[in-house]
Amino acid sequence: MEALLLRASSYAADVDGVIHLITLLAGFWFIVAEVVLFYFIFKFRKKNNEKAQYITGEKKEEMKWIHWPHNLIIVCDIVLVFFAIKAWYHIKQELPDPDFTVKITGQQWAWRMQHPGPDKQLDTADDIELVDELRVVVGKTYHYKLESLDVMHSFSVPVFRLKQDAIPGRTITGWFKPTRTGAFDIQCAEMCGIGHGIMGARIIIETEEEHQKWMESLSGNSVAQAL
Amino acid sequence: MASGLSFLGRLLGMGTLAICVFSSFSAVARSGQDLFRLCTACHGDQGQGKKDLGAPGIAGMPSWYLEKQLKNFSSGARGAHAKDFFGMRMRPMARTLRSEEEIKKVSEYVSKLKAHRPDSTLNGDVAAGQALYNTCLACHGPNGEGNQAMSAPPLLYSGDWYLMRQIHSFGNKMRGADPAKDPMGATMAPMAGILADDKAIEDVLTYITTKK
Ligand SMILES: [Cu+2]
């Protein structure tokens, strides 16, 4: 999975783990089912002048072909659900103490990012607001307060393996911890109108020094010009 | 039967190919009318504007003005301020235009649409508005008809509610705050400050929109 899409958050590997597990289990049963299917097609191909029979699958030795895979798949499901809930609980239910909090507001069709300024506190005069650009420090735990001004949007950061719906009227709190520096995509993952497809933004993950320099470069101008 | 299936398969394949080729060709040369289709979602099928969506009338606005604004939106000179709700809606739309050529085409197309005088939604004092309008008149013309030489757009077709919003935007530094990015808007920004309060804005807009 990492080969397809970089991981940049502390929990990206957990989500990938679940996807790997699903792929592995579903892949295993897919291959088994195909092998059995083709084996039977071959075994019961037309021979001599034997007449085709109609099998209802009610005899015990016929039913075991249903029951055994069925039971085994249920076991696999339980394993899957266990690991899925474990990952989900860690990402969506736990809320580790934050180093910083940012406010992310979706609207048709842009993201407004409110960063705590040099005082590290949100909702103060030195907050830095950007449009379609979120700047965070690598290795720090962030809380995000997600809001929407109009319709439903979904804040999605593929490299974080994070997706969270933004619902008008609600403030949804979640968290992430970036683990690598770089600039990555943010996208809207909930159909929100004609501009949905181009409602993208960037997340810039930088070191503490870079972040500091960036804040200084704004030189007290709390509402920065975006892009 | 086998030949029937393969014929169907071939037909499907060729159809898909034809659609791909056709759509890529039509993407190369989108006419002003093609491009305008996207605008209609908010600005209305005639470009008459939709107040409910906050989208002003654009039909019949001069193409030099439309062109300039589309460029401002796509460069971020307009519609990139974090508090500019409506501007941020327009900005991604302007960015779907892929070249100056396309901006030009759609602007020309829209400028040739029949201009629409929206109904007045304000109820200010016309006489007070007329006195205030004396300042605006120098650039926007005695009848609000606009003047390209002064980079002043006509004031008659957008809707008074839109003009109200823009005067506020200029005043709040959401539009025309940076002379380097938007010199045309920067000339308007201090003018917006001349209007003392919402009452003054309402008066002057009532005067303009009730002009015959
Ligand atoms: Cu959206």
Side-chain angles (χ1 to χ4, degrees), chain A residues 107 109 111 151-154 188-192 196 199:
Chain A
Q107 70 150 78
W109 292 280
W111 296 101
V151 297
M152 275 181 71
H153 300 277
S154 181
C188 180
E190 176 64 55
M191 183 60 202
C192 62
H196 167 65
M199 188 173 161

Side-chain angles (χ1 to χ4, degrees), chain A residues 107-108 112 129 131 194-195 198, chain B residues 80 82-83 85 89 92-93:
Chain A
Q107 70 150 78
Q108 286 173 326
R112 180 199 297 176
E129 279 192 297
V131 174
I194 194 166
I198 42 176
Chain B
K83 294 274 191 289
F85 180 83
R89 248 192 200 174
M93 296 299 131

